[in-house]
Amino acid sequence: MSNALLDFEKPLEELQDQLTKAKQIQEKGKVNVDSVIKDLESKIEKTRKDLYSNLSAWQRVQLSRHPERPYSLDYINAITDGHFTELFGDRQVKDDKAMIGGFGEINGQTVMFVGQQKGNNTKMRQYRNFGMPNPEGYRKALRLFKLAEKFNKPIVTLIDTPGAYPGLEAEERGQGEAIARNLYEMSILKVPVICIIIGEGASGGALGIGIGDRVLMLENTWYSVISPESCSSILWRNWDNKERAADALKLTAIDMNKLKLIDGIVQEPVGGAHSNPGGMFDTVKAEIIKHLGVLNGLSPEERVKRRIDKFCSMGVYKEG
Amino acid sequence: MSWFKRIKEGITTSTSEKKETPEGLWYKCPSCKSIIPSQEHEDNMWVCVKCGYHERIGSAEYFAILFDDQKFEEFNMNLTSDDPLEFVDTKKYSERLIESQKKTGLKDAVRTASGMCNGYPLTIACMDFRFIGGSMGAVMGEKIARAIDYSIKHKTPFLMISKSGGARMMEAAFSLMQMAKTSAKLTQLSEAKLPYISFLTDPTTGGVTASFAMLGDLNIAEPGALIGFAGPRVVKETIGKDLPKGFQTSEFVLDHGFLDIIVNRTELRTKMGEILGYFAH
């Protein structure tokens, strides 16, 4: 396991060091340390299970941002087994690198994929604008949604963004309008729409590609109106209360599912999606196939009606 | 040497004999600093007679301006937030709500009503910024949704008057989903071929801009209003530079193609009549 460890995974560090040493000794071949290695491996396994069986909201937020976590294109390439053609541009201003999309194939069925894309090194992170789309990104997404609708292809969106980009040009080109338009248009798309939060689901930037017949969250992701850090800085006027804010916002998959604001949780491998990406991709693929099967059985009118009714039923209030 | 010599020390007028100007007799414009008699200011619909600055007003004032003979039927007056997340920051959200209700006499940040405007039927949802910054929670989403339902049922145009800092953080994802809910609901109004007029007033930002406020068949605004997705402070921090003059004002947003017209509040009533007429005839 070469994964970078998060602060709460510290108990694993020493065990992993020991394991590395034991393996080195083994390689030199002078002493038989098989039993020691086995011992350490099972200890690591158990410690990891314990750590992951009781994650706090903030720890899940950390996992959702793990630098080795798979991003949208990783999922799409794996799920389609490489049968994916990326399509670019919003046909108006430019191509937004923070929002990707295109046609792919799952089990012989064409699917339109759209998702925010983060980069996996400093250069690529900048290139992808840290997964923060500009209005062009949302308009590109909408263009692809409409293309899918025209040819009756289902849509899968993969959500992973720290927010829509709050820049000057984004304001000039109508960030608010671009997101609003997507909420409106996605509500009435005639084809099945599945939205999966694979990392961060920050506010309007996430919701802008998040109106679906099924909205699913991977186990270690978050989805809310604001990030815990920003929430802390607004309500407590500092960043020190991010853990408390994470709890208060009820932003984990478990909370969101309990509140009926999403349609389901997708289990991650123990240790998070990055600890076993292959396993994660298989699970996500199976989920897509499962939900598409159900959704394909409904008429477009029925799907749209249920989709609108679902979002319209969200909200708790007192009457009288 | 001074010319006058003080005979008695200190202030000798007893409190009861003090002559004070009654409060609220004068209005000082925060923009041009002119001092205007309050009555004159009110008669001009809270728009500065000197410089045209639009003072923030609430639903009571907009309803009075827009509805014929100030007559209207208000809906769902007792809908209140239920604090589903039992949200606590430096204060309990439930306590914040009660405080705001006491302070403002309002139940939440939006009021919805229907009546006649220049002889045309009209349903209006109007926000009150005084109530937790006009923030959007589940009550706002539901009241807007129901007002749209009313518009559809009674075949009236729908006017949304926005004045909000955005989503209500204390309702977290519930508040986020109100963006989805209201936008989805607007598709039904559209399906019914009823006009939706979005009226953006100072300020309209965040989740409100990124949902129903930008979705009008006509997007109209008051002059000089702050309209944007990200707040100016956030944008400034992002770009690390000072913002250009006039950034995110109504005039800026119109120039970039996201507003149809800017209407002075003193002409709002007449303009609404004209607009409703275009759709009706």
Side-chain angles (χ1 to χ4, degrees):
Chain A
M1 194 76 47
S2 64
N3 291 323
L5 293 175
L6 296 167
D7 56 4
F8 69 87
E9 292 176 308
K10 279 281 146 18
L12 286 172
E13 197 174 356
E14 202 182 321
L15 290 170
Q16 287 193 352
D17 284 350
Q18 286 177 13
L19 182 65
T20 316
K21 273 180 203 154
K23 280 183 175 167
Q24 280 167 357
I25 293 170
Q26 180 85 323
E27 268 168 31
K28 285 176 188 160
K30 283 181 184 155
V31 197
N32 189 334
V33 282
D34 271 355
S35 64
V36 179
I37 289 177
K38 252 186 204 149
D39 227 37
L40 280 168
E41 279 175 343
S42 75
K43 243 188 207 165
I44 288 172
E45 189 73 1
K46 190 187 172 302
T47 312
R48 177 171 285 127
K49 252 190 193 144
D50 288 348
L51 283 173
Y52 275 80
S53 64
N54 202 11
L55 292 175
S56 74
W58 175 247
Q59 287 165 346
R60 290 193 199 274
V61 171
Q62 287 178 293
L63 275 170
S64 76
R65 299 171 177 162
H66 196 288
E68 287 159 22
R69 209 176 159 82
Y71 299 136
S72 292
L73 283 171
D74 302 321
Y75 281 91
I76 297 169
N77 283 320
I79 288 168
T80 60
D81 200 15
H83 294 288
F84 172 66
T85 300
E86 192 177 344
L87 304 170
F88 299 89
D90 68 345
R91 295 285 194 275
Q92 296 178 54
V93 177
K94 60 158 84 159
D95 181 59
D96 191 330
K97 306 300 180 194
M99 185 80 83
I100 56 96
F103 280 127
E105 209 180 286
I106 304 183
N107 286 1
Q109 150 99 71
T110 303
V111 172
M112 177 62 83
F113 289 95
V114 170
Q116 287 106 354
Q117 180 67 28
K118 291 179 176 174
N120 41 23
N121 56 45
T122 308
K123 204 176 153 195
M124 287 308 284
R125 273 190 275 276
Q126 280 177 343
Y127 177 73
R128 297 293 183 186
N129 200 27
F130 305 91
M132 295 187 282
N134 274 283
E136 301 78 69
Y138 294 100
R139 294 187 180 123
K140 168 178 169 180
L142 182 57
R143 178 176 81 83
L144 299 181
F145 296 153
K146 292 282 191 184
L147 180 62
E149 184 181 44
K150 181 174 173 185
F151 295 100
N152 199 26
K153 307 300 176 200
I155 295 164
V156 172
T157 72
L158 299 173
I159 296 169
D160 189 8
T161 180
Y165 189 60
L168 184 120
E169 292 177 342
E171 292 293 319
E172 288 178 338
R173 295 197 289 267
Q175 187 73 283
E177 195 275 344
I179 292 172
R181 188 65 51 201
N182 281 16
L183 305 185
Y184 181 97
E185 294 292 348
M186 286 188 88
S187 308
I188 46 175
L189 283 172
K190 293 194 183 73
V191 293
V193 185
I194 298 173
C195 308
I196 308 174
I197 292 135
I198 58 166
E200 300 188 83
S203 199
L207 193 67
I209 57 165
I211 311 296
D213 302 303
R214 295 287 185 277
V215 179
L216 310 172
M217 283 175 78
L218 301 198
E219 197 184 342
N220 299 310
T221 61
W222 68 273
Y223 192 12
S224 195
V225 75
I226 192 165
S227 74
E229 288 93 333
S230 302
C231 177
S232 167
S233 83
I234 293 175
L235 293 180
W236 283 275
R237 310 215 173 272
N238 60 53
W239 277 33
D240 307 338
N241 286 290
K242 52 189 189 290
E243 278 106 337
R244 275 174 72 186
D247 282 331
L249 287 168
K250 306 266 194 299
L251 44 60
T252 65
I254 297 169
D255 286 325
M256 289 291 285
N257 199 45
K258 236 184 257 165
L259 297 168
K260 296 193 173 68
L261 295 175
I262 57 164
D263 302 295
I265 303 173
V266 181
Q267 295 299 317
E268 292 187 20
V270 177
H274 61 283
S275 69
N276 178 8
M280 188 75 257
F281 301 147
D282 288 344
T283 311
V284 169
K285 183 174 179 176
E287 285 283 326
I288 293 172
I289 292 169
K290 181 180 89 184
H291 288 288
L292 275 186
V294 179
L295 293 170
N296 279 331
L298 299 170
S299 71
E301 295 73 28
E302 186 61 24
R303 273 194 302 262
V304 170
K305 187 188 174 299
R306 287 190 193 183
R307 195 184 304 149
I308 291 178
D309 286 351
K310 179 179 76 179
F311 282 99
C312 283
S313 74
M314 291 179 183
V316 176
Y317 42 81
K318 281 185 289 197
E319 198 129 12
Chain B
M1 281 295 279
S2 53
W3 286 9
F4 300 102
K5 195 169 183 220
R6 191 170 201 148
I7 307 166
K8 286 183 197 167
E9 284 297 315
I11 298 163
T12 53
T13 319
S14 64
T15 311
S16 59
E17 283 172 37
K18 271 189 183 167
K19 290 185 180 63
E20 272 187 17
T21 336
E23 253 192 61
L25 208 55
W26 298 92
Y27 168 77
K28 186 178 178 188
C29 174
S31 177
C32 72
K33 314 287 178 216
S34 300
I35 295 181
I36 301 150
S38 283
Q39 192 57 49
E40 192 183 339
H41 183 58
E42 191 181 322
D43 291 345
N44 202 41
M45 296 176 182
W46 301 272
V47 175
C48 176
V49 290
K50 295 270 164 55
C51 72
Y53 172 81
H54 282 54
E55 191 190 353
R56 280 180 193 165
I57 55 173
S59 55
E61 290 80 12
Y62 281 112
F63 286 169
I65 292 170
L66 286 163
F67 284 123
D68 295 348
D69 308 320
Q70 308 200 8
K71 275 200 299 207
F72 57 88
E73 182 195 346
E74 188 173 348
F75 311 127
N76 309 117
M77 294 166 74
N78 292 315
L79 220 57
T80 54
S81 173
D82 204 19
D83 187 15
L85 305 176
E86 295 172 3
F87 197 95
V88 183
D89 51 274
T90 49
K91 212 189 283 178
K92 279 187 180 169
Y93 174 45
S94 53
E95 285 168 13
R96 249 181 231 280
L97 280 169
I98 293 168
E99 256 172 49
S100 272
Q101 284 164 351
K102 273 194 191 144
K103 201 179 86 191
T104 61
L106 299 160
K107 289 285 163 65
D108 207 280
V110 75
R111 285 172 69 212
T112 52
S114 196
M116 303 298 277
C117 174
N118 293 285
Y120 299 102
L122 181 66
T123 305
I124 307 181
C126 181
M127 295 191 195
D128 281 289
F129 192 77
R130 291 184 301 145
F131 197 96
I132 321 188
S135 55
M136 170 164 61
V139 171
M140 182 178 288
E142 181 65 15
K143 283 178 92 166
I144 292 172
R146 290 189 192 181
I148 294 171
D149 280 337
Y150 183 93
S151 291
I152 295 171
K153 195 172 168 201
H154 296 86
K155 298 189 170 52
T156 81
F158 177 59
L159 171 68
M160 179 76 232
I161 306 178
S162 295
K163 187 182 278 294
S164 168
R168 187 173 294 170
M169 225 181 303
M170 300 77 134
E171 293 191 26
F174 277 107
S175 111
L176 180 66
M177 294 310 161
Q178 302 314 304
M179 294 167 64
K181 175 172 179 167
T182 49
S183 305
K185 204 73 206 169
L186 283 171
T187 63
Q188 296 176 339
L189 188 73
S190 191
E191 181 88 352
K193 299 271 178 250
L194 292 161
Y196 167 41
I197 298 148
S198 175
F199 184 40
L200 296 85
T201 72
D202 184 63
T204 300
T205 59
V208 169
T209 304
S211 59
F212 53 81
M214 275 292 161
L215 291 173
D217 292 309
L218 293 185
N219 292 338
I220 68 181
E222 281 188 350
L226 170 72
I227 300 168
F229 173 64
R233 196 176 50 85
V234 177
V235 179
K236 194 179 159 182
E237 278 170 18
T238 305
I239 62 170
K241 276 189 283 197
D242 281 337
L243 299 169
K245 205 163 175 278
F247 181 64
Q248 292 185 317
T249 57
S250 309
E251 294 73 13
F252 171 94
V253 180
L254 182 132
D255 282 347
H256 284 87
F258 295 97
L259 290 176
D260 290 281
I261 40 171
I262 294 172
V263 182
N264 198 304
R265 193 185 292 153
T266 50
E267 287 148 20
L268 175 64
R269 195 183 147 73
T270 321
K271 200 60 174 177
M272 272 308 292
E274 209 180 310
I275 289 170
L276 291 171
Y278 292 136
F279 288 110
H281 305 297

